Amino acid sequence: MSSGSELAIHADLADALRRQATQAGADSPAVRGSDWRQAIVATVNTDGTVVTSDGIIARRMATYVTPTVGETIVVSISSSGNWLAHGRIAATTTAGTWQTLTLSGGWTTFGSPYWTPSYRINGDGTVSLSGLAKAPASAAQPQTICTLPAGIVPASKSRFATEVANAVHGVLDVNATGTLQIQDYSGNAGWAALDGVQYRLT
């Protein structure tokens, strides 16, 4: 015949097992529905998947078009147990918002009615520029408008056509050294139009 203390121990054990089973069920993907977390890309495969540093194989979403080894991404697991890679996490807190560029070498903001020279990090890992910068009194080429913040310096150089004076066009260079320059125009520049410039970082 079991004593009262033995019955209490058995009851506690049964209760603990029930709680463990309930928790295991709650943690199951089929019950939970889905879950997500951050991960670091270790390998980019040619079949549309990436492998994270902790061994997860995740299929890329259609919007995650330029995966890069070393970047931090969001991955989620579906109710069927399959992992999905949603895309990179913004490299800085300024992603998605316009930030003012710090001009140099005598360059200044042109002023109203034009936008202040600014940049924005886009969700696809590209950078957009906007605004009109006013050239210094003597603007022989090449002219360095500013040095870009470290978070938006591209791995390789990009070139864009831009207006530098009335009916005068030149080239805007976004350099891998971090400088933003204009050149290849006739005479002196009066300004540099940044609107419409969009370049990739990697």
Side-chain angles (χ1 to χ4, degrees):
M1 182 175 179
S2 299
S3 66
S5 61
E6 289 175 331
L7 290 174
I9 290 173
H10 291 318
D12 289 343
L13 178 58
D15 185 53
L17 290 172
R18 280 194 299 271
R19 287 199 305 270
Q20 186 177 17
T22 300
Q23 184 61 45
D27 287 341
S28 169
V31 174
R32 185 172 58 231
S34 64
D35 199 1
W36 69 272
R37 66 180 182 83
Q38 296 181 19
I40 298 174
V41 176
T43 306
V44 178
N45 296 325
T46 58
D47 63 354
T49 63
V50 296
V51 182
T52 67
S53 58
D54 52 356
I56 291 174
I57 300 175
R59 179 158 299 282
R60 292 188 286 116
M61 301 290 285
T63 52
Y64 185 23
V65 294
T66 55
T68 304
V69 171
E71 66 186 3
T72 302
I73 63 172
V74 171
V75 295
S76 70
I77 187 168
S78 67
S79 58
S80 61
N82 296 315
W83 285 94
L84 297 173
H86 294 267
R88 67 180 51 82
I89 292 175
T92 70
T93 56
T94 61
T97 59
W98 288 103
Q99 304 293 314
T100 300
L101 286 168
T102 300
L103 306 182
S104 60
W107 285 80
T108 57
T109 297
F110 200 95
S112 180
Y114 302 101
W115 291 111
T116 297
S118 306
Y119 71 92
R120 181 179 67 185
I121 302 173
N122 304 311
D124 61 356
T126 61
V127 175
S128 294
L129 302 182
S130 179
L132 191 66
K134 185 177 181 180
S138 177
Q141 57 184 303
Q143 274 286 313
T144 298
I145 302 167
C146 70
T147 298
L148 300 170
I152 64 167
V153 175
S156 298
K157 181 176 182 174
S158 296
R159 307 197 85 196
F160 302 90
T162 187
E163 186 181 59
V164 298
N166 286 325
V168 178
H169 290 80
V171 173
L172 179 74
D173 287 336
V174 184
N175 297 308
T177 58
T179 57
L180 187 67
Q181 294 180 312
I182 56 168
Q183 59 182 325
D184 297 342
Y185 53 87
S186 300
N188 287 333
W191 57 77
L194 308 183
D195 293 302
V197 171
Q198 183 173 333
Y199 62 91
R200 54 185 288 189
L201 289 174
T202 58

